[in-house]
Amino acid sequence: MAGQQVDCALDLMRRLPPQDIDKNLSDLIDLVPHLVDELLSSIDQPLKVAKDPKKNKDYLLCDYNRDGDSYRSPWSNEFFPPIEDGNAPSDRMRKLEEQANDAFDVYREQYFDGGISSCYFWDEEHGGFSGAILIKKTGDLKNKFRSSWDSIHVIEAHEKGAGRNAHYKLISTVMLWLQNTREGSGQMDLGGSLSRQVEKDLPVTADMFSHIVNIGGMVERMENNIRGILETVYFGRTLTVLNDMRSLVDLESKKAHDKLNQ
Amino acid sequence: SGINAEYGSSGINAEYGGTPALVTKDGSVDGSKVFYDPGSNKNFTYKYLTGEATNVEGGTRDNGAEKWRKAVEDALAGYLKDNFPAFGSAVYGKLEGDTVSLTVAIENHKYNPDNFYCGKWTSRWSVEFPTSGGYAKVSGHMKVQVHYYEDGNVQLHTKKSAEESVQMGSVEEGARNLVEFIGRAEREYQLGINENYREMSATTFKSLRRALPITKNLVDWHKLHSLNIGRDLMNRTT
């Protein structure tokens, strides 16, 4: 019964305007409060930002670094607001996190020229580990356009072949939001997300950083791919649908013109 | 039932016997599922779950406003054929005392579930004027929604209101002027959206994330390792 309800909730979120994700998710939780954990872990929300007061640095919030109402900062590895015995990563995972955050800081600068990134890793019960790599970039208010990009990459890794290889599974969601109010076009809101996934076997060494090399390469290629698809879907497809519904070209004279050219 | 009527008020296409009819708040007869189609002067019951119009029966036309209503409907037909590949529309007319009220509703949609997208255009314009004619304020709004949902959920929501004083003059002149204003307003709106898209794709999108780093090469992740060695050394000495 609960499984069916979660499916229905996900179905609803696929149809409702993504611009209202936060409100719709909150309304869903009101409807089925016993499913709050399931819903929070399966429905992506635009990334929120908090400041780590110890390191004076921004970090991104998601279900993976949440414990109750507190969120763990990847910089100080502490929860804010502070809590007793928060859900912390093992020493090995913490070391991986530090390396990942440093590496993705550089990646972020090279592609986003700003923005915020945060990486979180955790051991999996049945061996292997998982991680979440988050990036948020908010555009500046040029020409009255509000814009922002949210990346949510979730990676699963399992070592195999006596530690020579690892199998990775990456599920990536990129959210893109564009809004504008102008005389000619009124209010415009173009937003939402696309998701893709990929699996790969890659070599690893005794150095934990080899995981970062593998994961980094997969995330980079995936993001480049999704960026291209976003461009096509957002600025190609959605505009074509509008221009198909109402023609800017006089249809009657177009028909006559087409007949002449047959 | 009330919720369904609210949904219907956004303008839905229904069909009976091949004649398209629009489901709108303006055409609601009982505030629930019976609607009036002014063009054919018929009432129909709209089945929300199936999208069918059934139970077609005679409607109650306000004959006092009919000559204005019909003139606008005729003028509108030409505009719609020129600009909308498919459409549903309705022109409602009412005469109260000496005041004529006209409401124009236009709807077009594109459903393509095989390719995971759909879209909808709705516009609504209304005007009130005395039977003697003269300048009257036409006001209304236009809305566009597009939904793309292959491996994702991307939606465009846009709306714009517009108004202008239009010379309602003689019956034919008024109809022509009204339709001319509607055409101009809707074209300007569509052009505005197209212009936004040009700017978004040329500038806004690119400044969020580059296609490639400035070096034009993918990141050399192996190189980033030396950063970590540096940090470990720092941690040990501090």
Side-chain angles (χ1 to χ4, degrees):
Chain A
M1 181 57 189
Q4 203 178 40
Q5 284 183 317
V6 171
D7 282 344
C8 289
L10 294 178
D11 249 357
L12 274 172
M13 293 306 289
R14 261 194 286 276
R15 288 160 171 73
L16 292 167
Q19 290 84 351
D20 300 330
I21 289 177
D22 287 343
K23 177 181 184 297
N24 291 330
L25 179 54
S26 165
D27 287 347
L28 275 175
I29 292 172
D30 282 346
L31 273 178
V32 281
H34 60 285
L35 291 176
V36 59
D37 285 337
E38 280 248 35
L39 292 176
L40 284 178
S41 67
S42 41
I43 294 170
D44 291 318
Q45 290 173 267
L47 296 171
K48 295 191 181 62
V49 185
K51 191 164 225 121
D52 178 336
K54 285 239 161 101
K55 297 283 179 174
N56 196 32
K57 199 170 173 190
D58 284 334
Y59 65 105
L60 296 170
L61 313 182
C62 67
D63 207 47
Y64 302 110
N65 64 326
R66 181 180 72 87
D67 192 334
D69 292 321
S70 293
Y71 292 87
R72 182 173 62 87
S73 157
W75 316 123
S76 61
N77 196 24
E78 287 181 42
F79 279 87
F80 303 103
I83 49 173
E84 293 281 311
D85 285 326
N87 212 355
S90 62
D91 287 341
R92 182 168 174 258
M93 287 295 101
R94 178 58 193 155
K95 182 155 183 247
L96 190 62
E97 255 185 27
E98 288 177 332
Q99 296 184 357
N101 277 295
D102 283 348
F104 275 96
D105 249 348
V106 175
Y107 168 80
R108 183 189 38 73
E109 271 309 316
Q110 300 219 358
Y111 276 96
F112 293 85
D113 200 10
I116 306 166
S117 52
S118 299
C119 305
Y120 305 103
F121 283 86
W122 59 94
D123 293 299
E124 285 292 4
E125 242 178 62
H126 303 291
F129 64 88
S130 293
I133 292 132
L134 315 173
I135 303 175
K136 185 179 189 79
K137 169 87 186 280
T138 305
D140 60 49
L141 269 168
K142 247 192 202 149
N143 299 322
K144 291 202 198 159
F145 271 107
R146 288 196 344 257
S147 61
S148 86
W149 171 299
D150 293 300
S151 285
I152 301 168
H153 302 282
V154 181
I155 189 101
E156 274 173 39
H158 290 275
E159 287 181 9
K160 30 193 267 197
R164 291 251 177 84
N165 287 305
H167 180 81
Y168 300 92
K169 180 171 170 189
L170 173 66
I171 303 176
S172 300
T173 298
V174 176
M175 302 182 154
L176 175 62
W177 314 97
L178 300 144
Q179 291 145 327
N180 153 298
T181 301
R182 247 184 197 171
E183 225 193 283
S185 50
Q187 282 171 279
M188 208 192 71
D189 201 328
L190 175 59
S193 66
L194 293 177
S195 292
R196 288 290 186 278
Q197 70 180 56
V198 70
E199 293 192 50
K200 241 179 167 170
D201 282 330
L202 292 165
V204 291
T205 68
D207 185 354
M208 190 191 282
F209 196 79
S210 58
H211 280 300
I212 305 294
V213 172
N214 292 339
I215 294 170
M218 282 178 80
V219 167
E220 179 176 22
R221 277 168 181 77
M222 175 66 99
E223 255 191 13
N224 286 343
N225 182 34
I226 295 182
R227 184 192 183 277
I229 302 170
L230 283 168
E231 196 160 21
T232 307
V233 167
Y234 274 65
F235 310 116
R237 170 58 64 202
T238 64
L239 186 64
T240 305
V241 176
L242 163 62
N243 290 335
D244 280 350
M245 289 194 291
R246 185 184 186 284
S247 174
L248 283 170
V249 171
D250 183 334
L251 285 174
E252 289 297 282
S253 53
K254 181 178 188 296
K255 257 187 238 164
H257 180 263
D258 288 346
K259 238 183 179 161
L260 278 174
N261 289 344
Q262 248 161 22
Chain B
S1 218
I3 295 172
N4 280 335
E6 186 58 46
Y7 169 69
S9 72
S10 61
I12 314 171
N13 249 320
E15 245 186 58
Y16 56 89
T19 311
L22 220 48
V23 171
T24 69
K25 214 176 200 164
D26 301 289
S28 176
V29 172
D30 67 345
S32 170
K33 33 188 173 157
V34 182
F35 295 90
Y36 173 65
D37 174 54
S40 58
N41 192 25
K42 296 258 195 285
N43 282 348
F44 61 94
T45 301
Y46 182 64
K47 289 186 138 170
Y48 286 91
L49 286 179
T50 59
E52 290 169 81
T54 59
N55 216 25
V56 180
E57 9 171 74
T60 329
R61 172 170 282 162
D62 184 336
N63 285 306
E66 184 56 13
K67 65 176 175 184
W68 288 279
R69 193 205 68 80
K70 186 80 172 70
V72 171
E73 191 178 81
D74 290 341
L76 194 69
Y79 165 66
L80 293 174
K81 259 178 95 190
D82 260 350
N83 292 279
F84 294 86
F87 57 84
S89 70
V91 180
Y92 305 93
K94 218 171 26 183
L95 177 67
E96 277 167 333
D98 185 51
T99 307
V100 182
S101 336
L102 297 175
T103 300
V104 175
I106 300 171
E107 187 270 359
N108 192 14
H109 59 264
K110 201 169 162 77
Y111 298 149
N112 196 328
D114 285 346
N115 289 308
F116 307 97
Y117 69 81
C118 61
K120 193 173 169 77
W121 165 295
T122 49
S123 48
R124 183 186 178 279
W125 304 98
S126 56
V127 65
E128 271 180 13
F129 53 95
T131 53
S132 51
Y135 274 96
K137 186 172 86 168
V138 181
S139 67
H141 64 255
M142 302 155 281
K143 266 191 186 167
V144 175
Q145 291 162 250
V146 178
H147 186 198
Y148 174 89
Y149 48 95
E150 182 170 20
D151 294 319
N153 180 1
V154 176
Q155 297 195 21
L156 168 69
H157 291 268
T158 134
K159 65 179 176 207
K160 181 185 179 191
S161 301
E163 61 179 40
E164 193 169 281
S165 249
V166 173
Q167 171 60 266
M168 290 314 285
S170 71
V171 178
E172 271 73 36
E173 194 189 334
R176 253 198 329 271
N177 292 341
L178 176 60
V179 172
E180 189 272 333
F181 161 69
I182 292 174
R184 217 178 346 109
E186 293 186 348
R187 186 181 161 79
E188 188 181 298
Y189 174 53
Q190 188 177 359
L191 284 175
I193 297 173
N194 274 265
E195 178 53 43
N196 273 349
Y197 267 72
R198 262 192 291 278
E199 204 165 323
M200 282 192 298
S201 65
T203 317
T204 321
F205 178 65
K206 291 188 164 69
S207 61
L208 280 176
R209 183 190 187 277
R210 296 195 173 97
L212 275 178
I214 294 184
T215 58
K216 301 265 188 245
N217 289 316
L218 295 177
V219 168
D220 185 340
W221 291 88
H222 285 101
K223 267 218 181 99
L224 301 185
H225 198 1
S226 51
L227 279 181
N228 288 271
I229 296 177
R231 169 212 256 268
D232 282 342
L233 282 173
M234 255 179 62
N235 287 342
R236 257 173 263 163
T237 54
T238 47

